[in-house]
Amino acid sequence: MRGYSQAMGRKTKPTFGLTGGIASGKSTVGRLFAELGVPVVDADQLARDVVAPGSEGLAEVVRAFGPTYLDEDGALDRKKLGSLVFADQAARRTLEGITHPRIAVAGKQAIAAHQDTDAPFLLYEAPLLVEIGLHKAFPALIVVSLEPARQLERLMAREQCSESDAQARIDSQLPLAEKVKVADFVIDNGGTLEETERQVRAIYEELSGRAALEPSP
């Protein structure tokens, strides 16, 4: 991402975006890129970090939603809060207002920390890049795609939740078909792992060549 990768004021490795829908397999794709030596900054992990026990982010969440959303150890009860925000748009916007600015700062720091690697480029993996318009800041965007029925099936199995709960989580995000429309690269994750790996390898080769041509900031 240009805004992130140029934050250091010197020539830096280009950062490309990676997104998809919930349970579409973007984490699997991120892992496959990581196996090729590409550093992947995971916004989901950053989202956990910024509300870790003892953080100001967690304190602000408690002020907004109350201490009932903490577990017995004083950590954020993500499943309980998730049930609220996936069903309540106002609550979700409140949570995003707390976490998104902190995630942005943490993302820039993580990207800066990966500049000395031998990788030709970096990836920034996040589920809501298109929803919040952040995809426009990247030189290229990869979208992991999956048929809606398979997406629902995988989410229900992963979260051990009902069909209605799973569908509510899917509906809280932009439909995958809309994300595909703004993608530079689309990975169809509906086949075998080997088929996904082949697509990742092809995109890796393309982006490696493109990264070599990226101008200095």
Side-chain angles (χ1 to χ4, degrees):
M1 176 178 156
R2 293 188 184 276
Y4 279 14
S5 62
Q6 294 180 5
M8 300 299 290
R10 55 181 171 81
K11 182 173 176 58
T12 55
K13 300 178 188 298
T15 303
F16 302 111
L18 171 62
T19 193
I22 187 170
S24 65
K26 63 184 180 300
S27 294
T28 296
V29 168
R31 175 178 58 79
L32 293 173
F33 273 105
E35 290 174 358
L36 293 172
V38 177
V40 180
V41 177
D42 183 355
D44 280 343
Q45 182 58 54
L46 297 180
R48 291 178 173 82
D49 294 343
V50 301
V51 291
S55 67
E56 176 54 33
L58 180 59
E60 191 168 344
V61 169
V62 171
R63 287 194 291 270
F65 297 99
T68 59
Y69 288 95
L70 296 178
D71 64 20
E72 294 179 354
D73 298 322
L76 183 64
D77 189 332
R78 295 178 61 85
K79 186 173 183 178
K80 183 176 181 180
L81 185 58
S83 295
L84 171 67
V85 300
F86 282 118
D88 185 331
Q89 290 188 5
R92 185 165 67 249
R93 286 193 293 268
T94 296
L95 180 62
E96 290 171 351
I98 295 169
T99 60
H100 284 185
R102 291 177 168 85
I103 292 170
V105 171
K108 290 179 181 179
Q109 293 171 342
I111 287 170
H114 287 297
Q115 291 305 311
D116 293 331
T117 69
D118 293 330
F121 61 89
L122 283 67
L123 286 179
Y124 186 82
E125 176 191 335
L128 301 178
L129 290 182
V130 179
E131 284 87 340
I132 64 176
L134 197 56
H135 67 288
K136 298 176 183 177
F138 289 86
L141 177 68
I142 304 167
V143 171
V144 182
S145 181
L146 187 67
E147 292 181 356
R150 293 285 302 282
Q151 183 184 12
L152 179 63
E153 178 183 307
R154 289 184 182 183
L155 183 58
M156 290 172 62
R158 190 184 78 184
E159 299 296 326
Q160 293 296 295
C161 62
S162 67
E163 181 176 345
S164 60
D165 285 346
Q167 191 62 56
R169 293 187 177 220
I170 292 172
D171 291 344
S172 72
Q173 298 182 350
L174 193 68
L176 268 171
E178 295 301 311
K179 296 184 181 186
V180 166
K181 290 179 182 178
V182 298
D184 296 280
F185 302 94
V186 177
I187 293 177
D188 179 357
N189 195 38
T192 65
L193 180 60
E194 289 73 20
E195 290 169 337
T196 299
E197 288 176 334
R198 284 196 290 271
Q199 295 174 78
V200 167
R201 170 65 72 172
I203 294 172
Y204 171 82
E205 297 295 342
E206 172 69 19
L207 290 182
S208 294
R210 185 178 300 193
L213 300 176
E214 279 286 301
S216 301

